[in-house]
PDB file of all heavy atoms in Angstrom:
ATOM      1  N   SER A  59      21.953   2.470   2.964  1.00  0.00           N
ATOM      2  CA  SER A  59      23.046   1.819   3.719  1.00  0.00           C
ATOM      3  C   SER A  59      22.604   1.254   5.030  1.00  0.00           C
ATOM      4  O   SER A  59      21.578   1.756   5.588  1.00  0.00           O
ATOM      5  CB  SER A  59      24.110   2.774   3.862  1.00  0.00           C
ATOM      6  OG  SER A  59      23.644   3.904   4.691  1.00  0.00           O
ATOM      7  N   SER A  60      23.384   0.304   5.411  1.00  0.00           N
ATOM      8  CA  SER A  60      23.128  -0.188   6.838  1.00  0.00           C
ATOM      9  C   SER A  60      24.069   0.518   7.835  1.00  0.00           C
ATOM     10  O   SER A  60      25.228   0.740   7.532  1.00  0.00           O
ATOM     11  CB  SER A  60      23.552  -1.672   6.892  1.00  0.00           C
ATOM     12  OG  SER A  60      23.421  -2.225   8.136  1.00  0.00           O
ATOM     13  N   LEU A  61      23.373   1.075   8.830  1.00  0.00           N
ATOM     14  CA  LEU A  61      24.252   1.958   9.831  1.00  0.00           C
ATOM     15  C   LEU A  61      24.752   1.072  10.935  1.00  0.00           C
ATOM     16  O   LEU A  61      25.622   1.518  11.670  1.00  0.00           O
ATOM     17  CB  LEU A  61      23.307   3.095  10.361  1.00  0.00           C
ATOM     18  CG  LEU A  61      22.771   3.948   9.291  1.00  0.00           C
ATOM     19  CD1 LEU A  61      21.796   4.903   9.868  1.00  0.00           C
ATOM     20  CD2 LEU A  61      23.921   4.656   8.615  1.00  0.00           C
ATOM     21  N   GLN A  62      24.301  -0.098  11.097  1.00  0.00           N
ATOM     22  CA  GLN A  62      24.739  -1.086  12.106  1.00  0.00           C
ATOM     23  C   GLN A  62      24.309  -2.445  11.551  1.00  0.00           C
ATOM     24  O   GLN A  62      23.243  -2.688  11.026  1.00  0.00           O
ATOM     25  CB  GLN A  62      24.017  -0.727  13.431  1.00  0.00           C
ATOM     26  CG  GLN A  62      24.511  -1.506  14.585  1.00  0.00           C
ATOM     27  CD  GLN A  62      23.916  -1.112  15.959  1.00  0.00           C
ATOM     28  OE1 GLN A  62      23.668   0.013  16.135  1.00  0.00           O
ATOM     29  NE2 GLN A  62      23.664  -2.079  16.805  1.00  0.00           N
ATOM     30  N   GLY A  63      25.133  -3.410  11.988  1.00  0.00           N
ATOM     31  CA  GLY A  63      24.740  -4.829  11.577  1.00  0.00           C
ATOM     32  C   GLY A  63      24.873  -5.103  10.195  1.00  0.00           C
ATOM     33  O   GLY A  63      25.638  -4.413   9.415  1.00  0.00           O
ATOM     34  N   ASP A  64      24.271  -6.212   9.658  1.00  0.00           N
ATOM     35  CA  ASP A  64      24.160  -6.448   8.285  1.00  0.00           C
ATOM     36  C   ASP A  64      23.024  -5.901   7.543  1.00  0.00           C
ATOM     37  O   ASP A  64      22.344  -5.060   8.064  1.00  0.00           O
ATOM     38  CB  ASP A  64      24.248  -8.002   8.027  1.00  0.00           C
ATOM     39  CG  ASP A  64      23.094  -8.723   8.774  1.00  0.00           C
ATOM     40  OD1 ASP A  64      22.033  -8.098   9.004  1.00  0.00           O
ATOM     41  OD2 ASP A  64      23.214  -9.846   9.096  1.00  0.00           O
ATOM     42  N   ARG A  65      22.825  -6.095   6.359  1.00  0.00           N
ATOM     43  CA  ARG A  65      21.724  -5.513   5.494  1.00  0.00           C
ATOM     44  C   ARG A  65      20.473  -6.259   5.506  1.00  0.00           C
ATOM     45  O   ARG A  65      19.623  -5.909   4.758  1.00  0.00           O
ATOM     46  CB  ARG A  65      22.320  -5.314   4.077  1.00  0.00           C
ATOM     47  CG  ARG A  65      23.391  -4.310   3.937  1.00  0.00           C
ATOM     48  CD  ARG A  65      23.745  -3.935   2.553  1.00  0.00           C
ATOM     49  NE  ARG A  65      22.673  -3.595   1.747  1.00  0.00           N
ATOM     50  CZ  ARG A  65      22.161  -2.331   1.584  1.00  0.00           C
ATOM     51  NH1 ARG A  65      22.704  -1.403   2.183  1.00  0.00           N
ATOM     52  NH2 ARG A  65      21.176  -2.119   0.770  1.00  0.00           N
ATOM     53  N   GLU A  66      20.360  -7.330   6.356  1.00  0.00           N
ATOM     54  CA  GLU A  66      19.019  -7.935   6.361  1.00  0.00           C
ATOM     55  C   GLU A  66      18.680  -8.100   7.852  1.00  0.00           C
ATOM     56  O   GLU A  66      19.337  -8.073   8.746  1.00  0.00           O
ATOM     57  CB  GLU A  66      19.079  -9.333   5.620  1.00  0.00           C
ATOM     58  CG  GLU A  66      20.246 -10.213   6.064  1.00  0.00           C
ATOM     59  CD  GLU A  66      19.959 -10.927   7.321  1.00  0.00           C
ATOM     60  OE1 GLU A  66      18.844 -11.299   7.623  1.00  0.00           O
ATOM     61  OE2 GLU A  66      20.929 -11.295   7.971  1.00  0.00           O
ATOM     62  N   PHE A  67      17.324  -8.302   7.982  1.00  0.00           N
ATOM     63  CA  PHE A  67      16.719  -8.396   9.441  1.00  0.00           C
ATOM     64  C   PHE A  67      16.459  -9.885   9.791  1.00  0.00           C
ATOM     65  O   PHE A  67      16.170 -10.172  10.912  1.00  0.00           O
ATOM     66  CB  PHE A  67      15.559  -7.446   9.570  1.00  0.00           C
ATOM     67  CG  PHE A  67      15.804  -6.087   9.438  1.00  0.00           C
ATOM     68  CD1 PHE A  67      15.736  -5.450   8.220  1.00  0.00           C
ATOM     69  CD2 PHE A  67      16.276  -5.444  10.533  1.00  0.00           C
ATOM     70  CE1 PHE A  67      15.862  -4.030   8.132  1.00  0.00           C
ATOM     71  CE2 PHE A  67      16.497  -4.025  10.478  1.00  0.00           C
ATOM     72  CZ  PHE A  67      16.331  -3.364   9.282  1.00  0.00           C
ATOM     73  N   ALA A  97      14.472   1.746  10.971  1.00  0.00           N
ATOM     74  CA  ALA A  97      14.158   0.309  11.174  1.00  0.00           C
ATOM     75  C   ALA A  97      15.292  -0.267  11.920  1.00  0.00           C
ATOM     76  O   ALA A  97      16.489  -0.077  11.654  1.00  0.00           O
ATOM     77  CB  ALA A  97      13.988  -0.392   9.853  1.00  0.00           C
ATOM     78  N   ARG A  98      15.022  -0.947  13.026  1.00  0.00           N
ATOM     79  CA  ARG A  98      15.942  -1.752  13.967  1.00  0.00           C
ATOM     80  C   ARG A  98      15.560  -3.108  14.181  1.00  0.00           C
ATOM     81  O   ARG A  98      14.408  -3.446  14.382  1.00  0.00           O
ATOM     82  CB  ARG A  98      15.985  -1.012  15.218  1.00  0.00           C
ATOM     83  CG  ARG A  98      17.185  -1.592  16.170  1.00  0.00           C
ATOM     84  CD  ARG A  98      17.308  -0.727  17.350  1.00  0.00           C
ATOM     85  NE  ARG A  98      17.662   0.626  17.229  1.00  0.00           N
ATOM     86  CZ  ARG A  98      18.892   1.063  16.897  1.00  0.00           C
ATOM     87  NH1 ARG A  98      19.890   0.236  16.847  1.00  0.00           N
ATOM     88  NH2 ARG A  98      19.117   2.350  16.741  1.00  0.00           N
ATOM     89  N   GLU A  99      16.599  -4.036  13.884  1.00  0.00           N
ATOM     90  CA  GLU A  99      16.264  -5.508  14.193  1.00  0.00           C
ATOM     91  C   GLU A  99      16.040  -5.621  15.727  1.00  0.00           C
ATOM     92  O   GLU A  99      16.721  -5.130  16.566  1.00  0.00           O
ATOM     93  CB  GLU A  99      17.529  -6.216  13.761  1.00  0.00           C
ATOM     94  CG  GLU A  99      17.356  -7.763  13.717  1.00  0.00           C
ATOM     95  CD  GLU A  99      18.576  -8.393  13.042  1.00  0.00           C
ATOM     96  OE1 GLU A  99      19.621  -7.918  13.213  1.00  0.00           O
ATOM     97  OE2 GLU A  99      18.357  -9.398  12.370  1.00  0.00           O
ATOM     98  N   ASP A 103      21.843  -9.271  15.225  1.00  0.00           N
ATOM     99  CA  ASP A 103      23.092  -8.482  15.373  1.00  0.00           C
ATOM    100  C   ASP A 103      22.700  -7.009  15.509  1.00  0.00           C
ATOM    101  O   ASP A 103      23.542  -6.179  15.416  1.00  0.00           O
ATOM    102  CB  ASP A 103      24.029  -8.687  14.186  1.00  0.00           C
ATOM    103  CG  ASP A 103      23.378  -8.172  12.850  1.00  0.00           C
ATOM    104  OD1 ASP A 103      22.269  -7.735  12.844  1.00  0.00           O
ATOM    105  OD2 ASP A 103      24.151  -8.347  11.801  1.00  0.00           O
ATOM    106  N   GLY A 104      21.309  -6.713  15.643  1.00  0.00           N
ATOM    107  CA  GLY A 104      21.029  -5.338  15.918  1.00  0.00           C
ATOM    108  C   GLY A 104      20.970  -4.386  14.670  1.00  0.00           C
ATOM    109  O   GLY A 104      21.257  -3.242  14.718  1.00  0.00           O
ATOM    110  N   SER A 105      20.853  -4.996  13.415  1.00  0.00           N
ATOM    111  CA  SER A 105      20.832  -4.272  12.228  1.00  0.00           C
ATOM    112  C   SER A 105      19.952  -2.961  12.312  1.00  0.00           C
ATOM    113  O   SER A 105      18.887  -3.002  12.967  1.00  0.00           O
ATOM    114  CB  SER A 105      20.270  -5.110  10.986  1.00  0.00           C
ATOM    115  OG  SER A 105      21.197  -6.132  10.748  1.00  0.00           O
ATOM    116  N   TYR A 106      20.452  -1.921  11.820  1.00  0.00           N
ATOM    117  CA  TYR A 106      19.783  -0.542  11.878  1.00  0.00           C
ATOM    118  C   TYR A 106      19.967   0.189  10.667  1.00  0.00           C
ATOM    119  O   TYR A 106      21.109   0.204  10.053  1.00  0.00           O
ATOM    120  CB  TYR A 106      20.368   0.195  13.101  1.00  0.00           C
ATOM    121  CG  TYR A 106      19.819   1.629  13.198  1.00  0.00           C
ATOM    122  CD1 TYR A 106      18.569   1.855  13.567  1.00  0.00           C
ATOM    123  CD2 TYR A 106      20.656   2.656  12.872  1.00  0.00           C
ATOM    124  CE1 TYR A 106      18.037   3.190  13.568  1.00  0.00           C
ATOM    125  CE2 TYR A 106      20.235   4.024  12.872  1.00  0.00           C
ATOM    126  CZ  TYR A 106      18.868   4.265  13.318  1.00  0.00           C
ATOM    127  OH  TYR A 106      18.500   5.554  13.333  1.00  0.00           O
ATOM    128  N   THR A 107      18.929   0.808  10.136  1.00  0.00           N
ATOM    129  CA  THR A 107      19.017   1.698   8.950  1.00  0.00           C
ATOM    130  C   THR A 107      18.019   2.832   9.091  1.00  0.00           C
ATOM    131  O   THR A 107      17.098   2.724   9.882  1.00  0.00           O
ATOM    132  CB  THR A 107      18.782   0.851   7.633  1.00  0.00           C
ATOM    133  OG1 THR A 107      19.118   1.707   6.585  1.00  0.00           O
ATOM    134  CG2 THR A 107      17.242   0.500   7.483  1.00  0.00           C
TER     135      THR A 107
END
Side-chain angles (χ1 to χ4, degrees):
S59 62
S60 175
L61 301 174
Q62 181 177 325
D64 54 28
R65 291 188 53 89
E66 52 82 24
F67 293 96
R98 181 175 303 279
E99 192 173 33
D103 66 359
S105 292
Y106 172 74
T107 190

